[in-house]
Amino acid sequence: MGCLPVTFVDPLKDQMTPEWTAGPGHGSSYLESGVFSAKTPLYNPTRSAGMPVGIQIVGKKWEEEKVVEMMNVVDDALGKDRGFGPGSWKPQSRSS
């Protein structure tokens, strides 16, 4: 298993859309109510602004080399200018 950073949460891009909230169920109704419609929903892109977003790549037992190679393929496909890597860290401004 390997994890790759992809981007950061952007409150302007990552808001819930009507297609998502009004669409058919996405799994457990109990989980959905906590994530989307609770008094204080767990999914809040404004409060999560600047947090990293990543993907997880999983392979079969004893196939770590394939996972590492697939991570390289995905990393190359995402491009090097996405704000991750040596020397690319910049402090995120915190808004209250």
Side-chain angles (χ1 to χ4, degrees), residues 22-93:
H26 303 290
S28 163
S29 59
Y30 179 75
L31 179 62
E32 282 186 41
S33 66
V35 173
F36 307 125
S37 57
K39 184 184 252 185
T40 306
L42 296 173
Y43 182 76
N44 184 333
T46 303
R47 292 184 68 194
S48 301
M51 294 294 293
V53 176
I55 61 170
Q56 189 175 54
I57 298 174
V58 180
K60 293 181 180 179
K61 185 177 180 180
W62 306 112
E63 294 191 347
E64 290 83 4
E65 294 87 0
K66 290 180 182 179
V67 170
V68 170
E69 188 55 36
M70 185 52 66
M71 289 173 64
N72 285 328
V73 169
V74 172
D75 193 40
D76 289 343
L78 290 170
K80 301 298 180 195
D81 60 347
R82 64 185 189 271
F84 290 94
S88 64
W89 185 83
K90 296 180 185 93
Q92 301 289 317
S93 62

Side-chain angles (χ1 to χ4, degrees), residues 9-15 45-46:
V9 174
D10 181 339
L12 299 175
K13 294 180 184 176
D14 297 323
Q15 293 295 323
T46 303

